[in-house]
Amino acid sequence: MQLKKGWSRNFFSINSNRNEEMIMIDPVTAVGLATTAFNGIKQAIAMGKDIQDMSGQLGSWAKAISDVDYAHKKAEKPKWWKKLGGGVQANAMEVWLHKKKADEMREELKSHISTFYGPLAWKEILRIEAQMRKEQQEAVYAAQEMKEQIIQWSVGILLVLIATGIMSGIVYWIGITQGKW
């Protein structure tokens, strides 16, 4: 099969319906979506379909892999309030296993695409995957980071207010017991 010149311009519909496409999902769902897209891509390759015909599945796969990679990055450095709740190691192990599965899919997909369409096709897919990851990071991951910052500041302010209230209560109680108020 011959790779058509200029196929990458219309390879993914990156900017269409940006709000629908740019939703971050949890790693379990991401791996499930990646596996479904991966199996569809393998079937399409086996049936001899042109790579342009697989653009939707490749786009879904790349987005899901991006979400798994982001979850892996977040699991390596959990926020302090997540450490307090425990279960960080179990979550990190689960995300690591998903990352390994995603890496295996990436290697197998690389092998299939390089074999049937040539190494240039795989390099183009990597370039487009990087572009999608960048757009995903700018849109969704930045919003997720902002949400986590808001939670972190809210919890911190709440703890300071609680500590201030407790200290004020203690000072007031001491004043009452000593007859100063």
Side-chain angles (χ1 to χ4, degrees):
M1 285 187 191
Q2 195 67 325
L3 184 64
K4 294 177 185 172
K5 187 171 178 117
W7 65 274
S8 65
R9 277 180 276 151
N10 297 320
F11 193 64
F12 294 110
S13 57
I14 294 172
N15 294 321
S16 66
N17 277 336
R18 188 176 187 100
N19 292 335
E20 289 180 20
E21 289 181 16
M22 297 297 179
I23 299 171
M24 188 177 142
I25 51 179
D26 65 288
V28 175
T29 306
V31 167
L33 289 173
T35 302
T36 301
F38 175 74
N39 290 333
I41 293 166
K42 281 180 24 179
Q43 283 180 336
I45 290 172
M47 292 172 44
K49 286 191 176 183
D50 198 26
I51 199 162
Q52 289 89 346
D53 297 335
M54 297 181 277
S55 63
Q57 290 170 322
L58 284 165
S60 297
W61 179 80
K63 184 196 169 302
I65 294 298
S66 177
D67 285 343
V68 171
D69 290 343
Y70 180 75
H72 183 258
K73 184 180 116 185
K74 297 298 289 178
E76 288 177 342
K77 296 180 182 178
K79 301 289 183 187
W80 61 269
W81 74 84
K82 290 183 179 180
K83 290 179 185 177
L84 292 176
V88 173
Q89 287 81 13
N91 183 42
M93 181 60 113
E94 180 182 3
V95 171
W96 180 81
L97 289 171
H98 293 312
K99 172 85 167 114
K100 288 300 170 193
K101 178 152 176 79
D103 290 343
E104 289 172 10
M105 280 191 278
R106 182 179 278 125
E107 284 302 312
E108 190 172 343
L109 190 60
K110 176 184 177 183
S111 173
H112 284 307
I113 289 178
S114 295
T115 301
F116 289 98
Y117 303 103
L120 291 177
W122 180 250
K123 287 181 182 178
E124 186 68 14
I125 287 171
L126 289 179
R127 186 189 66 73
I128 293 169
E129 182 184 359
Q131 179 183 355
M132 288 187 74
R133 183 175 286 127
K134 181 181 176 190
E135 287 188 12
Q136 184 83 348
Q137 184 174 7
E138 289 171 357
V140 177
Y141 303 156
Q144 181 71 21
E145 292 287 333
M146 178 62 81
K147 182 179 173 183
E148 288 179 4
Q149 286 292 326
I150 289 170
I151 291 171
Q152 187 172 358
W153 277 95
S154 298
V155 168
I157 289 171
L158 182 65
L159 289 176
V160 167
L161 289 175
I162 289 171
T164 302
I166 290 172
M167 293 297 283
S168 298
I170 290 172
V171 168
Y172 180 75
W173 181 75
I174 290 174
I176 293 278
T177 57
Q178 291 181 354
K180 295 183 179 178
W181 284 293

